[in-house]
Amino acid sequence: MTDSLRFELVSPEHLLMDASVHMVVVPGSEGDFGVMAHHAPVMSTIRPGIIDVYQTDGGEIDRIYVAGGFAEVTPEGLVILAEQALFLKDLDRGDVEQKIADLKEDIEDVENDDDRVRLVAELAQFSAILSAMN
Amino acid sequence: MPSLKDLKIRINSVKSTQKITKAMKMVAASKLRRAQEAAEAARPYAERMERVLSGLASNVGVNAGAPPLLAGTGRDDVHLIVVATSERGLCGGFNTSIVKAARVRIEALLKEGKTVKILCIGKKGLALLRRDYRSMILDTFDMSHAKRLAFGDVAPIAERLLSMFEDGELDVCTLFYARFQSALTQVVTGQQLIPASITDDAGVEQAGPDLKGAAYEYEPGEEEILKALLPRNIAVQVFRALLENAASEQGARMTAMDNATRNAGDMIDRLTLTYNRSRQAAITKELIEIISGAEAL
């Protein structure tokens, strides 16, 4: 019997994923950590980064970008509370690059300081996604 | 006695009103379904957040060192009342009942000599509160731009609450909204946001015995996590309240429009009866005139 880990990914708007997987690598705020079945209970904050979900041992990897959140490992499984999550396979490289270019332009034009801060934060996010794709 | 033409015009106008209310009812019904789905989709996150928080809170305990968002400022002088209402009217007693609940609380607080501040979400509540409490209303958040409420839309509200709290501008914050129960019933709820009201019994029991005093490892420390979690919890609670509110609004509108459609139907029946009666009366009168004219000859 191969043990599998129950993995749930929840955003405030949806339950994004609820599956049995082999292992999940979580970008914790104090370093990445892998979670497999029977992991000791841990609670950790997450920094913006990529979650790697291994469906099977050595099998396919789902990569999900999260913009910060929390991970909770209980005896039942792993729950990740993420503010925002994007499946990398749903994203097109061209689109991301285009978005980054658009944002850079917007930042140059913007007058209001609040807007600028928001745009810069958005740009940082997309740059992180792009670097994860490489 | 209105003339036949007047009656006809009136019947036609009620008929077109009925068409409108019927259409609004159907629109509300389909929107309700979507709003309900959104509210249900948001539930897992809020539930897990609550579970994690209550677990943490019971571990850390409410002591002097606990974060102020959990333990409060130790004072109870300045109350902020956040009133979440709809952006549109024609939804029965929805807005009025929320505002009424908020008003009762405001009056009670004022009587105790507390300072009350008001934040409105949605312009319908503002219109109702403005008359009596103009000087207390700090700001209004207009949510009409958001067709489908996203988590990002509530961020400004949460930020405002937190910055006010940090600046010492409020001690207790309560949010008023209508919790969705069914299309027919919405429960007006006053929920305390700051300090966080954590029902540690319910949360821990739900989570099962293994969470209670579980040997969790915290990364970074418990306090840091709690500090990061509490502000987020506010945003989540506001978000959930607004989703519930949206569903409640559509439910209330659906019921109100259903009633309006039925009333219009009754009115048409009554008017048609009057119309037919006066038509017959007019015919009879004319006949009598002709006959009595003929007899006189």
Side-chain angles (χ1 to χ4, degrees):
Chain A
M1 189 188 107
T2 49
D3 280 341
S4 61
L5 171 78
R6 193 184 149 125
F7 169 57
E8 281 178 33
L9 177 65
V10 245
S11 83
E13 282 144 30
H14 291 289
L15 180 65
L16 288 167
M17 202 170 163
D18 183 357
S20 286
V21 297
H22 175 66
M23 177 173 82
V24 180
V25 178
V26 184
S29 51
E30 302 202 329
D32 290 7
F33 59 94
V35 181
M36 295 172 80
H38 307 303
H39 192 285
V42 172
M43 174 109 126
S44 173
T45 46
I46 300 178
R47 65 187 151 79
I50 305 292
I51 300 176
D52 285 333
V53 182
Y54 294 73
Q55 302 285 7
T56 52
D57 193 4
E60 205 178 313
I61 307 175
D62 273 338
R63 314 199 76 196
I64 307 161
Y65 171 80
V66 285
F70 292 88
E72 186 197 14
V73 185
T74 62
E76 288 99 56
L78 167 68
V79 178
I80 289 185
L81 303 177
E83 238 99 292
Q84 198 197 4
L86 293 166
F87 286 82
L88 286 196
K89 63 175 182 225
D90 295 343
L91 294 169
D92 182 54
R93 200 196 161 91
D95 285 350
V96 176
E97 277 168 355
Q98 180 63 41
K99 183 83 189 165
I100 289 177
D102 287 352
L103 279 172
K104 275 183 182 153
E105 258 174 47
D106 287 349
I107 288 172
E108 272 169 31
D109 297 339
V110 78
E111 312 262 314
N112 184 325
D113 270 348
D114 287 348
D115 285 345
R116 192 193 307 275
V117 170
R118 189 174 51 79
L119 287 172
V120 168
E122 215 170 310
L123 179 65
Q125 253 186 38
F126 279 99
S127 309
I129 294 174
L130 188 68
S131 65
M133 283 176 152
N134 293 335
Chain B
M1 181 83 188
S3 75
L4 278 185
K5 195 172 174 228
D6 287 343
L7 276 172
K8 191 88 210 161
I9 290 170
R10 189 130 166 68
I11 290 173
N12 281 336
S13 101
V14 176
K15 265 188 187 155
S16 47
T17 310
Q18 190 190 30
K19 267 182 208 151
I20 293 170
T21 56
K22 205 172 190 174
M24 279 184 81
K25 181 197 151 193
M26 286 195 284
V27 170
S30 82
K31 276 192 180 162
L32 169 68
R33 219 187 42 229
R34 254 185 297 154
Q36 215 175 330
E37 272 164 17
E40 267 158 25
R43 230 164 257 171
Y45 190 89
E47 269 166 17
R48 293 204 168 86
M49 183 75 120
E50 213 163 290
R51 206 181 65 189
V52 171
L53 255 182
S54 58
L56 267 173
S58 61
N59 277 8
V60 173
V62 181
N63 52 42
L69 276 174
L70 183 66
T73 49
R75 276 171 296 132
D76 180 32
D77 300 330
V78 187
H79 284 252
L80 178 75
I81 308 283
V82 184
V83 186
T85 51
S86 68
E87 291 294 342
R88 285 151 186 268
L90 287 180
C91 43
F94 175 75
N95 289 316
T96 356
S97 55
I98 296 175
V99 168
K100 201 155 85 190
R103 207 183 283 254
V104 169
R105 175 69 63 89
I106 292 168
E107 290 300 332
L109 288 171
L110 286 176
K111 208 170 264 174
E112 287 171 33
K114 315 273 192 220
T115 315
V116 179
K117 296 174 178 176
I118 303 170
L119 267 182
C120 293
I121 304 174
K123 58 177 171 235
K124 284 290 158 190
L126 174 73
L128 286 167
L129 286 168
R130 195 160 42 189
R131 203 172 339 138
D132 296 340
Y133 307 111
R134 164 158 277 185
S135 58
M136 299 175 205
I137 297 174
L138 300 175
D139 210 348
T140 317
F141 290 97
D142 190 348
M143 303 306 281
S144 52
H145 60 274
K147 265 199 149 175
R148 283 197 61 205
L149 190 74
F151 189 60
D153 295 327
V154 302
I157 302 175
E159 268 164 33
R160 177 70 187 265
L161 292 180
L162 289 169
S163 71
M164 278 183 71
F165 184 72
E166 271 158 27
D167 299 343
E169 286 174 40
L170 66 96
D171 298 320
V172 179
C173 172
T174 317
L175 172 68
F176 280 91
Y177 68 100
R179 218 178 40 207
F180 181 79
Q181 217 166 48
S182 73
L184 287 170
T185 33
Q186 298 88 31
V187 188
V188 178
T189 318
Q191 189 190 8
Q192 189 172 312
L193 288 179
I194 301 174
S197 60
I198 287 162
T199 49
D200 27 24
D201 311 332
V204 173
E205 260 168 45
Q206 264 174 20
D210 26 82
L211 193 71
K212 220 170 200 169
Y216 265 100
E217 258 176 65
Y218 291 97
E219 207 182 311
E222 285 181 18
E223 306 248 325
E224 281 87 348
I225 291 195
L226 203 52
K227 256 180 215 153
L229 236 153
L230 284 166
R232 227 167 277 208
N233 181 48
I234 302 231
V236 171
Q237 296 301 341
V238 174
F239 181 62
R240 175 152 88 154
L242 289 188
L243 285 176
E244 293 268 345
N245 225 14
S248 300
E249 179 198 340
Q250 298 304 341
R253 177 167 295 130
M254 202 175 100
T255 320
M257 287 303 122
D258 189 40
N259 282 337
T261 311
R262 206 165 319 132
N263 285 344
D266 290 348
M267 205 161 167
I268 290 171
D269 287 348
R270 268 202 315 275
L271 284 171
T272 317
L273 194 69
T274 327
Y275 175 79
N276 287 342
R277 267 201 199 133
S278 29
R279 191 174 59 90
Q280 277 174 336
I283 293 169
T284 317
K285 208 176 95 197
E286 275 170 26
L287 275 178
I288 290 172
E289 273 163 13
I290 293 168
I291 293 166
S292 49
E295 271 174 7
L297 284 172

